[in-house]
């Protein structure tokens, strides 16, 4: 009889159940920088080394928003009064802040002819210079009246830079230009309702071209200490430097699909820039849906009001798929990326001591970068979606005014204010439902364990609102914080520190220990090999004397189970009459050690016979020659074992494939050997009582041996089959008889001698 291919056997061999298992408990690491959103911070900040540190207090101011969209913020000599440019009605407001009550009021200063005011500058004489869109209007406002206006040959004015008491530079979009404005001449030129395109007409209003670039828009301009002018563009996002007196620029950095949102020059000649790369258009993220967006508008701009203006709810915020970077341009060096954020747009930059601060979106993020420690920070964020204004308050170090959109309003940002200090993580996925253990910190600095208040809540669903348990306090025990009896798939952690900002504290990364739900073993595969083959297990190899660092970091220390599996796959299969080999593969989702018991029961009997009990192997071979013929039911019982505690061990019973025990050879019903021309036809028709017929062999008395396992009907699927051998006459020369052997799948055979 032919041996079944060993290649098939290799696919059937099962994984040996491990003799040792990893710890049943797990832990998840909590990196506060990664796991705490900006909006979930109060009085604290997260740092890119994963720690919680002292942060800032963000206070949302109460008051009626003066407009749907607030675009720019400009200081006045009074620290409590600010100018705000708005849209979509093209108004400028004077906003008065009440710091004691954390509120504000707004007074309309003037309404421009354009619909959006993107740039404001208060001049030394108290007048206000405003740049607007979509008609590129430059307006001079004095005591609430427009005293001078000119329409530049552009769509939008994005930024204004006061060079001195007599000169202002104007950054425009579509096309991307910088104009130099003589303030004295412009103030006396009067009102020009039309767009001027002729250079002489512009010069008559005190406006001359300073420089231009090939990109579509110049978003930001800033003066360097040596008098040169830095400029940032969009939609390429290039950073340029123009000579003091204008002309052709030099490119400091070239980008693609980006927008330079702010420039922050330093007294030593350095320059910081915030650049937003890719993502969906900013106007889509901010604009109320009923407004139209013309070409050349800045991020979030709405240029044309709806036919029937109504107050609309903020537009839903789409996920921002871009990224932002803060770039450092040393005075005498090459650009360097200080900080990069995915899915965040940084719109404004400021500096306070060694901190670079950034206001952005799309979740109202307030960000930072510690220039001394060279670490990124996330501060308490706003309830809005985009922060377009961020300016320091004169005479109040560390205190800033924040201008926000979606929803529109203002806020205070204070690095030194006292107040609640809390941080709440986003939803933490534990992987599987689990019982929570202790929460432990690597280290606490400048805060005692007793000052730390920890709370946790759990849920079995992903919904952010419903299905969560109440906040449960954690108690300090043996250096860890514990709340017994908590079980769930998801968790949120809230950390609260004592109010105040005097102490500089650091809370290191945390680890939450847990015991995952114990899941039952699973049967991956079960196979009964053809009878009459036995297994000679290969000896287990010696454990390696050393392991590589790569193995340790990626796969961990090699386990005994892996060595046993490799050795088992190298086992030999040999003919062994009367032996039945059964293989299975069982896994445990939690890595438990497993023991197996394999049993059989003859059809009609009630008692099970255990053939192997509590084995760690994944096979059994047994002698079937003494078993009565018939069909046997099989059963595999798999049970968890140590180190799983006995009372927690799960057991699973698998009803596996039926086993047929067949000792009776098949019957040959018809047999013939006939010549048909030059062909000898040997035909065997047979039947078996229990097993499928497998094939025939033919042994001629001239030494010729032939065999076939292909039946006449083409499919070997029955206990009754017909097999035919077609043998050329040349091969049977000299032969006078043939012995034919018919065998079944159980290895039983019968023979008959034929002559012709």
């Amino acid at each position: 009889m032919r041996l079944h291919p060993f290649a098939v056997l290799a696919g059937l061999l099962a994984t040996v159940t491990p003799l040792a298992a990893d710890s049943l408990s797990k832990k998840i690491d909590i990196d506060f920088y990664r796991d705490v959103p900006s909006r979930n911070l109060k009085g604290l900040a997260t740092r890119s080394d994963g720690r919680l540190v002292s942060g800032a207090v963000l206070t949302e101011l109460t008051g009626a928003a003066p407009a749907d969209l607030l675009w720019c913020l400009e200081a006045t000599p009074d620290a409590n009064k600010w100018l705000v440019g708005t849209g979509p009605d093209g108004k400028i407001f004077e906003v008065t802040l009440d710091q004691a009550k954390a509120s504000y009021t707004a007074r309309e200063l003037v309404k421009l002819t354009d619909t959006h005011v993107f740039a404001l500058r208060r001049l030394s004489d108290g007048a206000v210079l405003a740049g607007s869109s979509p008609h590129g209007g430059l307006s001079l406002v004095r005591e609430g009246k427009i005293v001078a206006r000119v329409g530049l040959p552009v769509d939008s004015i994005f930024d204004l830079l006061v060079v001195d008491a007599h000169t202002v530079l104007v950054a425009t979009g579509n096309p991307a230009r910088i104009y130099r404005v003589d303030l004295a001449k412009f103030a006396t030129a009067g009102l020009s309702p039309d767009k001027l395109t002729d250079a002489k007409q512009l010069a008559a209003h005190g406006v001359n071209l300073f420089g231009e670039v090939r990109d579509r828009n110049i978003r930001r301009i800033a003066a360097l200490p040596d008098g040169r002018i830095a400029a940032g563009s969009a939609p390429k996002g290039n950073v340029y430097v123009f000579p003091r007196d204008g002309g052709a620029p030099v490119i400091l950095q070239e980008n693609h699909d980006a927008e330079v949102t702010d420039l922050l020059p330093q007294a030593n000649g350095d320059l910081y820039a915030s650049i937003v790369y890719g993502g969906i258009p900013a106007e889509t993220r901010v604009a109320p849906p009923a407004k139209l967006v013309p070409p050349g508008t800045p991020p979030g701009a709405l240029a044309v009001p709806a036919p029937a203006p109504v107050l609309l709810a903020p537009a839903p915020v789409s996920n921002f798929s871009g990224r932002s970077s803060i770039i450092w341009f040393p005075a005498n060096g090459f650009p360097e990326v200080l900080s990069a954020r995915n899915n965040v747009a940084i719109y404004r930059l400021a500096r306070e001591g060694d901190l670079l601060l950034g206001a952005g979106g799309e979740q109202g993020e307030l960000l930072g970068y510690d220039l001394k420690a060279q670490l990124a920070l996330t501060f308490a964020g706003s309830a809005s979606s985009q922060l377009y204004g961020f300016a320091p308050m004169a005479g109040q170090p560390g205190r800033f005014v924040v201008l926000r959109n979606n929803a529109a309003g203002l806020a205070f940002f204070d690095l030194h204010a006292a107040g609640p200090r809390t941080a709440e993580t986003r939803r933490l996925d534990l992987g599987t439902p689990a019982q929570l253990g202790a929460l432990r910190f690597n280290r606490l600095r400048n805060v005692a364990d007793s000052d730390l208040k920890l709370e946790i809540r759990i849920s079995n669903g992903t919904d952010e609102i419903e299905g969560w348990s109440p906040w449960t306090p954690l108690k300090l025990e043996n250096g860890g914080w514990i709340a017994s009896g908590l079980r769930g798939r998801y968790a949120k952690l809230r950390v609260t520190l004592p109010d105040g900002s005097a102490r500089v504290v650091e809370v290191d990364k945390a680890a939450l220990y847990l015991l995952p739900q114990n899941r039952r073993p699973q049967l991956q595969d079960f196979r009964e090999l053809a009878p009459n083959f036995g297994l000679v297990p290969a000896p287990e190899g010696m454990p390696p004397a050393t392991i590589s660092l790569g193995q340790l970091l990626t796969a961990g220390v090699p386990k005994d189970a892996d060595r046993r599996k490799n050795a088992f796959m190298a086992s030999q299969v040999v003919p062994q009459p009367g032996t039945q080999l059964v293989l299975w593969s069982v896994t445990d989702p939690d890595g438990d050690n497993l023991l197996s018991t394999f049993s059989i029961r003859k059809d009609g009997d009630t008692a099970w016979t255990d053939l192997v009990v509590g084995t760690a192997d994944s096979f059994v071979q047994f002698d079937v020659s003494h078993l009565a013929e018939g069909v046997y039911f099989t059963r595999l019982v798999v049970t968890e074992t140590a180190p799983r505690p006995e009372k927690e061990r799960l057991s699973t019973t698998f009803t596996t494939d039926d086993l047929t025990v067949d000792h009776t050879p098949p019957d040959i019903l018809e047999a013939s050997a006939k010549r048909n021309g030059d062909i000898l036809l040997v035909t065997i028709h047979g039947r078996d009582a229990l097993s499928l017929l497998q094939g025939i062999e033919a042994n001629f008395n001239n030494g010729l041996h032939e065999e076939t396992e292909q039946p006449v009907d083409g499919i070997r699927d029955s206990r009754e089959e017909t097999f035919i051998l077609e043998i050329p006459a040349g091969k049977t020369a000299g032969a006078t008889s043939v012995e034919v052997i018919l065998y079944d799948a159980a290895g039983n055979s019968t023979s008959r001698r034929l002559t012709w």
Side-chain angles (χ1 to χ4, degrees), residues 125 468 589:
D125 62 357
W468 289 89

mmCIF file of all heavy atoms in Angstrom, residues 125 468 589:
data_model
loop_
_atom_site.group_PDB
_atom_site.id
_atom_site.type_symbol
_atom_site.label_atom_id
_atom_site.label_comp_id
_atom_site.label_asym_id
_atom_site.label_seq_id
_atom_site.Cartn_x
_atom_site.Cartn_y
_atom_site.Cartn_z
ATOM 1 N N ASP A 125 -0.753 107.089 16.212
ATOM 2 C CA ASP A 125 -1.643 108.232 16.442
ATOM 3 C C ASP A 125 -3.057 107.809 16.819
ATOM 4 O O ASP A 125 -3.961 108.649 16.888
ATOM 5 C CB ASP A 125 -1.678 109.134 15.206
ATOM 6 C CG ASP A 125 -2.223 108.402 13.976
ATOM 7 O OD1 ASP A 125 -2.519 107.192 14.079
ATOM 8 O OD2 ASP A 125 -2.341 109.036 12.904
ATOM 9 N N TRP A 468 -20.934 54.468 30.790
ATOM 10 C CA TRP A 468 -19.764 54.552 31.675
ATOM 11 C C TRP A 468 -20.189 54.476 33.137
ATOM 12 O O TRP A 468 -21.242 54.990 33.525
ATOM 13 C CB TRP A 468 -18.999 55.841 31.425
ATOM 14 C CG TRP A 468 -18.289 55.849 30.112
ATOM 15 C CD1 TRP A 468 -18.782 56.263 28.914
ATOM 16 C CD2 TRP A 468 -16.962 55.383 29.864
ATOM 17 N NE1 TRP A 468 -17.843 56.098 27.926
ATOM 18 C CE2 TRP A 468 -16.714 55.564 28.467
ATOM 19 C CE3 TRP A 468 -15.960 54.848 30.656
ATOM 20 C CZ2 TRP A 468 -15.508 55.209 27.882
ATOM 21 C CZ3 TRP A 468 -14.748 54.507 30.071
ATOM 22 C CH2 TRP A 468 -14.539 54.684 28.700
ATOM 23 N N PRO A 589 -6.699 31.845 24.038
ATOM 24 C CA PRO A 589 -6.542 33.268 23.738
ATOM 25 C C PRO A 589 -5.740 34.026 24.773
ATOM 26 O O PRO A 589 -5.177 35.084 24.465
ATOM 27 C CB PRO A 589 -7.998 33.781 23.693
ATOM 28 C CG PRO A 589 -8.838 32.575 23.480
ATOM 29 C CD PRO A 589 -8.110 31.450 24.137
#
